[in-house]
């Protein structure tokens, strides 16, 4: 690469080659110094150059509209100090443990009465339950004296009252879209604990006046673990502690009033406890039962009276009418009892339905009596006829003359009848029979007694047309005056 003779040209590629050759001939220490020098020059060349002062002001910067403001949410200020100091205390014990009972105030806002079940004897209610107490362990400094609000996650870390519903069957805290729990803490340690609950509780109902009854139900609140020596449960604002929605309504009941009470409950194994009561009175709407029970039963009783105007000889008509009304009344009674609990006492609706059933059944028995008396009289009437001479050989059309329905003038006309083609024996027998009926005093007395018996039989239906409606109207007057 080096040109012979050891002489390097002033320019051209041979000059660079000679330089490299010279470097290789340099000592190791000199080459190291040269390498460091080149490295320093390279670093200095990459630094930004400082602008020289020219004696003139720099142009103004762009407007703040074009300046990007820093995002304060991305600036870390370090871990904040907790205000409540939950980890510094033992919240498994109640506030002021070992001292006097802690007062816990309660107020309730009823959102709805969802259902009343007579069969299960219970009711379902949705309400907002709020507790008020003071826990100095939760006090925090605040210049503005403002409270802090938390959700249900903090409830698991602090002490809260253990209030439960006495005689409840089912209950739950609503959790859509999250647990419906609110906790509000004030700087002095006052705590408000609120939750939205639906509870199904037992209600002892008395159905002796059903469906003309009024029911009083109670929702009872009590501390489960703390007696009255540790926790004093009370209504925060007296009767004003219970508030209801004006739009609350039920299909079968009229809500008359809500009120609160409180008393002590004693358990032999644990002691005395404060118990709060939410009482409400319900009055049943009667119109539904008038349409579904009372009116159909009354119409069935009135329909059974129609048989009193039907001829006593129309056996199929009167029997079918009586059986239909009896079966219909049985169906009404069964339908009413199917929607009611199996109580051991008589209800007001049972009295009305069973009395109506008795009236329908008596109308059937009335026709049975009429039919029996008619049958007995007809048997008595056939006995004198059996003593008459046998007319078996006579033609059947002439036998109708023996029933005594011809007058004396008709008999005289028959005396002037001239027989033709062998009809003389028939005419003679007819005249003999009619003459014997007119001349026999016993026959006349029997006919008169038969007519009088027919009058007595018709009198049963006649009297029933008056007695049955009058008795049923009297029963209704007494019934509605007692139970309404």
């Amino acid at each position: 690469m080096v040109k012979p003779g050891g002489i390097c040209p002033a320019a051209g590629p041979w000059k660079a080659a000679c330089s490299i050759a010279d470097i290789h001939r340099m000592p190791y220490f000199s080459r190291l110094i040269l390498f460091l020098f080149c490295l320093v020059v390279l670093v200095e060349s990459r630094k930004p150059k400082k602008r020289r002062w020219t004696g003139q002001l720099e142009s103004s910067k762009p407007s703040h509209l074009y300046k990007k403001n820093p995002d304060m949410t991305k600036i870390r200020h370090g871990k904040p100090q907790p205000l409540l100091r939950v980890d510094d205390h033992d919240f498994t014990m109640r506030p002021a443990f070992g001292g006097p009972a802690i007062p816990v105030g309660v107020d309730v806002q009823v959102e709805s009465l969802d259902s009343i079940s007579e069969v299960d004897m219970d009711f379902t209610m949705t309400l907002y339950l709020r507790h008020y107490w003071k826990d100095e362990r939760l006090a925090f400094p605040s210049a503005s004296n403002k409270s802090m609000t938390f959700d249900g996650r903090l409830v698991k870390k602090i002490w809260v009252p253990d209030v439960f519903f006495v005689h409840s069957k089912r209950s739950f805290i609503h959790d859509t879209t999250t647990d419906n729990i609110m906790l509000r803490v004030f700087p002095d340690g006052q705590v408000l604990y609120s939750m939205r609950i639906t509870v199904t509780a037992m209600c002892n109902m008395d159905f002796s006046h059903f469906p003309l009854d009024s029911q009083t139900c109670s929702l009872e609140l009590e501390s489960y673990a703390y007696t009255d020596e540790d926790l004093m449960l009370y209504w925060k604002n007296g009767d004003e502690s219970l508030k209801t929605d004006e739009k609350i309504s039920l299909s079968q009941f009229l809500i008359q009033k809500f009120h609160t009470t409180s008393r002590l409950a004693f358990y032999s194994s644990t002691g005395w406890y404060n118990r709060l009561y939410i009482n409400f009175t319900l009055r049943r709407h009667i119109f539904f039962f008038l349409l579904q029970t009372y009116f159909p039963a009354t119409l069935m009783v009135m329909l059974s009276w129609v048989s009193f105007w039907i001829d006593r000889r129309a056996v199929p008509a009167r029997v079918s009418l009586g059986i239909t009304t009896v079966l219909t009344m049985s169906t009404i009674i069964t339908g009413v009892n199917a929607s009611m609990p199996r109580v051991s006492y008589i209800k007001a609706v049972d009295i009305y339905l069973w009395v109506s059933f008795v009236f329908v059944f008596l109308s059937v028995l009335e026709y049975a009596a009429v039919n029996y008396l008619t049958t007995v009289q007809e048997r008595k009437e056939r006995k004198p006829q059996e003593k008459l001479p046998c007319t078996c050989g006579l033609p059947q059309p002439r036998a109708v003359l023996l029933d005594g329905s011809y007058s004396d003038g008709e008999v005289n006309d028959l005396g002037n009848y001239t027989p033709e083609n062998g009809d003389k024996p028939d005419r003679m027998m007819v005249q003999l029979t009619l003459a014997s009926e007119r001349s026999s005093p016993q026959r006349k007395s029997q006919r008169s007694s038969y007519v009088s018996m027919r009058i007595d039989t018709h009198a049963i239906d006649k009297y029933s047309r008056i007695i049955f409606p009058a008795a049923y109207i009297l029963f209704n007057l007494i019934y509605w005056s007692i139970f309404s």
Side-chain angles (χ1 to χ4, degrees), residues 167-442:
H167 305 307
S168 66
K169 298 181 178 180
R170 296 174 300 275
S171 61
F172 62 91
I173 299 175
H174 290 258
D175 55 359
T176 305
T177 57
T178 183
D179 291 341
N180 296 172
I181 297 176
M182 185 268 290
L183 191 71
R184 183 170 295 170
V185 183
F186 294 86
D188 59 349
Q190 294 286 343
V191 181
L192 166 61
Y193 175 42
S194 176
M195 50 188 168
R196 182 168 175 254
I197 304 175
T198 294
V199 56
T200 300
M202 183 180 64
C203 178
N204 293 321
M205 301 182 184
D206 181 16
F207 297 106
S208 58
H209 286 69
F210 177 86
L212 306 169
D213 58 335
S214 296
Q215 304 294 341
T216 299
C217 300
S218 299
L219 184 63
E220 306 172 12
L221 295 86
E222 182 181 307
S223 173
Y224 190 83
Y226 297 99
T227 63
D228 60 340
E229 297 178 355
D230 293 325
L231 190 145
M232 184 180 67
L233 204 62
Y234 69 98
W235 289 112
K236 188 174 186 299
N237 299 316
D239 291 337
E240 299 296 328
S241 301
L242 178 62
K243 300 183 182 299
T244 59
D245 192 346
E246 297 180 355
K247 298 180 180 180
I248 295 178
S249 62
L250 295 171
S251 59
Q252 291 191 22
F253 292 92
L254 174 64
I255 303 175
Q256 291 186 330
K257 63 177 180 178
F258 279 89
H259 65 280
T260 61
T261 55
S262 61
R263 66 187 66 174
L264 289 174
F266 176 73
Y267 297 91
S268 59
S269 58
T270 54
W272 295 88
Y273 294 81
N274 294 110
R275 182 177 295 183
L276 305 181
Y277 295 82
I278 303 174
N279 305 312
F280 55 96
T281 303
L282 306 172
R283 183 169 182 83
R284 196 182 305 273
H285 294 300
I286 187 59
F287 188 72
F288 171 80
F289 296 93
L290 287 176
L291 293 179
Q292 299 294 325
T293 303
Y294 287 95
F295 285 166
T298 303
L299 291 178
M300 287 300 104
V301 174
M302 296 174 64
L303 182 62
S304 66
W305 299 340
V306 176
S307 63
F308 302 152
W309 279 266
I310 300 177
D311 186 9
R312 61 190 177 89
R313 294 184 179 86
V315 177
R318 296 190 66 163
V319 170
S320 60
L321 180 60
I323 293 176
T324 301
T325 53
V326 168
L327 293 178
T328 304
M329 285 300 305
S330 301
T331 303
I332 295 175
I333 294 174
T334 304
V336 172
N337 291 329
S339 60
M340 294 296 299
R342 298 178 180 179
V343 294
S344 58
Y345 49 85
I346 299 177
K347 303 181 291 292
V349 68
D350 294 337
I351 296 176
Y352 193 90
L353 292 179
W354 280 105
V355 171
S356 300
F357 183 83
V358 169
F359 271 90
V360 172
F361 188 73
L362 288 178
S363 65
V364 178
L365 294 182
E366 185 271 345
Y367 175 65
V370 170
N371 186 268
Y372 175 75
L373 294 177
T374 302
T375 304
V376 170
Q377 183 57 36
E378 288 180 352
R379 290 177 181 177
K380 292 181 179 179
E381 183 182 357
R382 290 197 204 97
K383 290 180 180 180
Q385 293 181 359
E386 292 175 356
K387 299 178 181 180
L388 296 177
C390 180
T391 58
C392 298
L394 295 177
Q396 293 297 328
R398 302 298 182 180
V400 295
L401 299 175
L402 299 176
D403 61 355
S405 60
Y406 287 91
S407 62
D408 295 338
E410 291 174 341
V411 175
N412 295 331
D413 294 339
L414 289 173
N416 299 327
Y417 176 76
T418 302
E420 297 179 0
N421 300 328
D423 288 341
K424 184 175 181 180
D426 296 345
R427 175 174 169 271
M428 293 175 62
M429 182 60 69
V430 169
Q431 289 179 351
L432 177 61
T433 303
L434 294 177
S436 63
E437 286 188 18
R438 290 197 305 267
S439 60
S440 176
Q442 182 180 1

